[in-house]
Amino acid sequence: MHPSYNNTLKPRLLALLRLAAIFLALFLVVELLGYLTFFLSGADSVDFESLSKLTGPERQPEREKAVHQISEWPADRPRNFQEADWWKDRADAADLPPVAERLPENPLVIIPPDQTGPYGGTWTRYGTGPSDVGIISARLAYDGLIRWGPMGREIRPNLASSWEITDEGHTYIFHLRRGVRWSDGHPFTADDLLFWYTDVLQDPDLTPVIPIEFRPGGELMRLEKLDDYTIRFRFAEPYGLFLKLLASNFSYQMVEFPAHYLKQFHRNHVDSDELQRRTREYSKDFWYQLFQHMCEWRNPEIPRLWAWICTEPPPARPAVFCRNPYYWKVDSAGNQLPYIDRITFDIYDIETINLKAINGEIGMQGRHINFPNYPLFMANQEKGGYRVLHWIDGGDGMIAITPNLNHRDPALRRIFQDRRFRIALSHAIDRESINQANFFGVGQPRQIAPPPVSRYYVPEYENAYIEYDTAKANRLLDEMGLDRRDENNVRLRPDGEPLVIHLETSSTQSGTSRLFEMTAAYWTAVGVKTKVKTTARQLYAQRRNARLCDVHVWGGAGEIIPVLDPRWFMPYSTSSFHGLDYALWFRTGGRKGEKPPPPMLRCLEIFAQISRTIDEEEQIRLFKEIIEINRQHLWVIGTVGNIPPIFIVKNSFRNVPEVAVGCWPLRTPGATAPECYAIDQGDS
């Protein structure tokens, strides 16, 4: 912890809380209403023709609520491209081909929401550890075949310029951009995707269990090369969710394996003796450990398709990512992207990261920015030279409270599996007090449900069992047979032991620790003695995976598009913490784990229907059936949601949208095209 934290931050926070509470509530209500109106009015359909004509760094205040758009470079337009001075000297010295030769035949055009350029600058970011720096792969280098737009409404071309769906959803054909190159200048073609499919996905040492998302109908999908720039996916049954899954995360993972580089570390392409020598050279025991090591984001030698590539990995402080000379996107004036020269990541604890944000030492960041410090962020904007952006919560900001239905303790397992217990715990929570104490009253008491801006929104589930009613909670607990209490007013389990549970979380959730303490106090007040247990993230994960935790707390999963990650609605994945043995049963086809109870099985059956359905309206209708089953059983308990994700953005930063949707499925801020962010060097 920063040494001045106790002496400066806490007293200032308390004083500002007293002075600013009313202002903050009014401010956020007005802001959120404006953003919601913007979202619902069809922001993605704004006329961006005039934006495409921008050629200079003039600020455009009237477009501050715009988002970037994309287009294709016209085939008949001259290839008069410009590049950053960063590369110009090298290109002139023949170390690099001219920029026109480094770009594909049909570069993707990013139309910035604010201005074109300028080039240059360093984007300063912070992480909590070396592994946290790796989020660049998912969050900032979000470049797959396709990707979501910034509002989560549409799927846009990316490395694939177009695609077709045929055979009623059995077949997907993608057309790759011609002439895209890896960061070392080697062509990116269909062969790279085939290498991933054949040598990574189907190698049991590299992929011990092929995800079920690649096995719809129980059969592995087929990936075929039609020519160097055309690929075809074929499935045993219609696959209605394939495009959404590709846009969210699958396709950027597919294109992280440059075949020309990685073949030298793969047993299918190297003599076994030579591969063993290379494995020993890197102090690895097995070839697949060497292969995985060479694939890591921190390997500065591996070619990438990213806008910035790692040049100084940890333990360097800061870690540095520099612009890719072969990045395959341009702006509307023909300037090769990205605009920003480099991104740096330095490592601090969360409290220090927040202090640095308050001091104006961050370029643009929302990760690890704790909402309880919101008054300080707002009060120090002018002094710190930054602005605070409020994006739309896509579901990530909600805290999911998940009783462990597969607990190793048989008595606790029986208690947790009784729906009356979960509903009682929900009624025992005073959400409005939590809202005031933790979120300055700007949140909304609700369950873990799609937010109002989602097409999957169901108000009946959002508002189910959220009334603060201790009488009802006590009545339900008594009906379960938990009516006996000890001398400390703690209810007794059926085996006569006191009913004591732990609300468990990791240290990364420290920003909402008061929420956990308040929840524990509310449950204790109805006779369920609850203690908060916070451990390091790795230890927490170990306890959770061993089914040792009583009640988990974790963040939402982007419920704005719940079909992409339905972890809280059914035992779908290893992140479905309420039923990890049920999820294991589902993902292994019943070979491992524990068979879920009938209501959960019904959710899984409906989701299988959704996966086979091409019609999006039918997908939504079916998922609302899953939501209704969740309303009846409440496997996961919510508290307060619709908290705007806040981002600290230096005043010098341009093209960061004033409003977008913030959530994991959109790889926030990845869907807002960070490659077009720019830094005006003369601004403070």
Side-chain angles (χ1 to χ4, degrees):
M1 182 177 292
H2 194 280
S4 64
Y5 177 74
N6 287 325
N7 295 328
T8 60
L9 181 56
K10 288 184 178 178
R12 292 174 67 195
L13 176 59
L14 290 173
L16 283 165
L17 281 174
R18 296 187 186 101
L19 293 172
I22 296 176
F23 161 75
L24 293 176
L26 291 174
F27 174 83
L28 277 176
V29 167
V30 171
E31 288 288 302
L32 290 174
L33 285 174
Y35 295 156
L36 182 59
T37 301
F38 169 71
F39 183 89
L40 295 176
S41 66
D44 285 351
S45 63
V46 172
D47 179 8
F48 285 90
E49 182 179 355
S50 58
L51 280 176
S52 66
K53 298 177 182 177
L54 291 175
T55 56
E58 293 81 8
R59 185 100 167 121
Q60 303 292 330
E62 70 275 12
R63 299 192 181 100
E64 284 187 340
K65 287 190 177 180
V67 293
H68 80 278
Q69 288 291 290
I70 66 168
S71 64
E72 299 292 331
W73 191 264
D76 59 351
R77 183 175 177 180
R79 293 176 60 81
N80 296 326
F81 299 116
Q82 296 80 43
E83 63 183 327
D85 289 342
W86 177 287
W87 297 121
K88 200 169 184 180
D89 293 341
R90 286 188 58 189
D92 291 345
D95 290 333
L96 281 175
V99 62
E101 296 179 19
R102 304 201 305 268
L103 287 165
E105 295 176 18
N106 53 336
L108 181 65
V109 178
I110 303 293
I111 304 170
D114 188 9
Q115 64 185 46
T116 56
Y119 281 122
T122 296
W123 179 354
T124 302
R125 291 181 61 94
Y126 297 98
T128 57
S131 61
D132 194 35
V133 178
I135 60 98
I136 190 169
S137 174
R139 298 284 194 169
L140 306 181
Y142 167 52
D143 270 326
L145 298 177
I146 54 180
R147 71 181 185 183
W148 288 100
M151 308 307 290
R153 290 178 154 195
E154 60 179 6
I155 293 173
R156 297 177 168 183
N158 206 48
L159 281 164
S161 58
S162 61
W163 58 88
E164 300 101 43
I165 305 173
T166 61
D167 299 336
E168 298 181 332
H170 285 82
T171 303
Y172 291 72
I173 298 174
F174 291 86
H175 303 279
L176 306 179
R177 296 187 184 279
R178 294 175 175 270
V180 171
R181 295 179 181 273
W182 295 93
S183 56
D184 63 353
H186 195 280
F188 165 73
T189 68
D191 290 330
D192 295 295
L193 285 153
L194 280 180
F195 176 76
W196 164 79
Y197 175 72
T198 302
D199 295 300
V200 178
L201 183 66
Q202 296 186 69
D203 190 295
D205 284 336
L206 296 175
T207 311
V209 179
I210 296 177
I212 60 174
E213 290 84 359
F214 295 133
R215 297 183 282 110
E219 295 183 23
L220 177 65
M221 68 180 185
R222 284 184 286 168
L223 175 57
E224 302 161 328
K225 172 185 174 181
L226 302 185
D227 61 44
D228 282 348
Y229 299 103
T230 312
I231 57 173
R232 178 170 62 196
F233 293 91
R234 305 186 73 174
F235 302 97
E237 64 182 25
Y239 201 178
L241 295 179
F242 187 56
L243 275 183
K244 291 184 175 71
L245 290 167
L246 282 181
S248 181
N249 67 331
F250 284 157
S251 69
Y252 80 71
Q253 296 173 6
M254 294 176 181
V255 297
E256 291 189 344
F257 298 92
H260 69 285
Y261 174 79
L262 290 174
K263 281 181 178 179
Q264 62 183 315
F265 308 112
H266 198 290
R267 62 180 171 188
N268 292 348
H269 302 278
V270 181
D271 175 78
S272 59
D273 290 339
E274 174 61 18
L275 185 56
Q276 186 176 12
R277 184 191 68 78
R278 294 177 185 175
T279 301
R280 289 196 302 266
E281 181 182 344
Y282 283 88
S283 301
K284 304 296 181 182
D285 295 323
F286 304 101
W287 77 270
Y288 58 85
Q289 294 173 327
L290 171 64
F291 185 91
Q292 292 165 338
H293 174 74
M294 304 312 289
C295 289
E296 280 196 340
W297 60 267
R298 67 184 76 205
N299 175 13
E301 302 299 325
I302 186 171
R304 294 293 189 192
L305 299 172
W306 303 350
W308 300 273
I309 54 178
C310 186
T311 55
E312 298 178 44
R317 291 193 62 180
V320 180
F321 294 77
C322 292
R323 61 168 61 254
N324 175 0
Y326 289 91
Y327 195 57
W328 39 278
K329 299 179 188 178
V330 298
D331 67 16
S332 50
N335 299 303
Q336 185 191 30
L337 298 175
Y339 292 133
I340 295 175
D341 286 339
R342 62 174 70 81
I343 303 175
T344 62
F345 287 82
D346 211 342
I347 307 302
Y348 293 97
D349 59 66
I350 290 178
E351 290 81 3
T352 303
I353 291 173
N354 279 256
L355 281 170
K356 287 183 171 294
I358 293 166
N359 290 335
E361 299 177 41
I362 278 178
M364 183 278 183
Q365 185 166 332
R367 188 173 178 85
H368 305 308
I369 300 302
N370 286 344
F371 198 88
N373 293 329
Y374 181 80
L376 290 175
F377 297 142
M378 294 297 294
N380 284 276
Q381 289 182 91
E382 183 176 355
K383 179 181 177 181
Y386 61 84
R387 59 194 185 274
V388 180
L389 300 186
H390 311 79
W391 285 5
I392 296 170
D393 179 23
D396 284 4
M398 189 73 168
I399 293 294
I401 299 176
T402 59
N404 180 5
L405 305 181
N406 298 134
H407 203 293
R408 284 189 175 183
D409 183 328
L412 283 180
R413 183 166 61 245
R414 284 194 298 272
I415 291 171
F416 291 165
Q417 289 180 354
D418 191 317
R419 64 182 292 273
R420 293 172 295 181
F421 183 76
R422 302 187 296 271
I423 292 172
L425 293 186
S426 184
H427 280 303
I429 300 172
D430 184 351
R431 290 172 173 81
E432 190 51 49
S433 292
I434 287 177
N435 187 20
Q436 296 296 331
N438 294 271
F439 307 110
F440 314 108
V442 303
Q444 176 188 352
R446 65 195 308 272
Q447 297 292 359
I448 299 290
V453 295
S454 171
R455 298 185 67 195
Y456 298 81
Y457 177 59
V458 177
E460 292 80 8
Y461 182 47
E462 179 186 48
N463 299 311
Y465 319 114
I466 63 172
E467 310 93 332
Y468 177 46
D469 192 334
T470 57
K472 185 178 292 185
N474 280 308
R475 184 168 64 252
L476 288 168
L477 294 171
D478 289 345
E479 288 176 3
M480 288 178 58
L482 299 175
D483 51 332
R484 295 183 301 142
R485 304 191 185 217
D486 66 12
E487 64 277 8
N488 296 315
N489 204 35
V490 176
R491 294 178 183 273
L492 298 179
R493 309 184 331 177
D495 59 7
E497 293 295 319
L499 179 51
V500 179
I501 63 175
H502 290 88
L503 194 63
E504 301 197 35
T505 186
S506 80
S507 54
T508 59
Q509 300 284 330
S510 61
T512 47
S513 58
R514 187 188 302 176
L515 185 154
F516 308 146
E517 295 290 350
M518 293 178 71
T519 301
Y522 294 137
W523 289 355
T524 298
V526 295
V528 181
K529 179 66 175 178
T530 306
K531 303 176 182 178
V532 176
K533 184 173 185 177
T534 302
T535 55
R537 183 166 184 165
Q538 184 176 5
L539 178 58
Y540 172 62
Q542 291 173 349
R543 285 183 50 77
R544 182 185 67 214
N545 294 337
R547 318 304 191 253
L548 294 175
C549 295
D550 298 336
V551 180
H552 316 87
V553 288
W554 203 249
E559 285 79 25
I560 190 171
I561 314 173
V563 293
L564 287 174
D565 189 354
R567 69 175 76 171
W568 301 135
F569 298 93
M570 65 192 82
Y572 174 76
S573 71
T574 54
S575 295
S576 298
F577 302 148
H578 57 297
L580 289 174
D581 280 338
Y582 300 149
L584 182 61
W585 179 92
F586 168 62
R587 299 194 74 82
T588 62
R591 294 188 303 276
K592 298 180 181 179
E594 180 182 344
K595 186 176 181 179
M600 284 186 173
L601 284 175
R602 178 57 184 154
C603 289
L604 293 170
E605 291 168 0
I606 296 172
F607 192 75
Q609 288 181 258
I610 293 172
S611 183
R612 295 190 296 267
T613 301
I614 299 298
D615 183 354
E616 186 170 23
E617 294 300 323
E618 181 64 6
Q619 291 178 2
I620 294 170
R621 187 193 69 79
L622 287 169
F623 200 87
K624 287 184 176 181
E625 290 187 20
I626 293 175
I627 291 175
E628 172 57 21
I629 296 173
N630 276 261
R631 187 194 66 79
Q632 296 171 15
H633 294 275
L634 196 70
W635 293 304
V636 176
I637 302 168
T639 54
V640 177
N642 289 344
I643 310 298
I646 56 175
F647 290 81
I648 306 300
V649 183
K650 200 73 175 170
N651 287 338
S652 56
F653 264 64
R654 302 291 184 253
N655 298 328
V656 181
E658 295 297 308
V659 60
V661 172
C663 64
W664 173 244
L666 304 187
R667 298 313 188 232
T668 302
T672 65
E675 60 269 20
C676 80
Y677 293 178
I679 300 175
D680 276 345
Q681 303 300 310
D683 284 8
S684 58

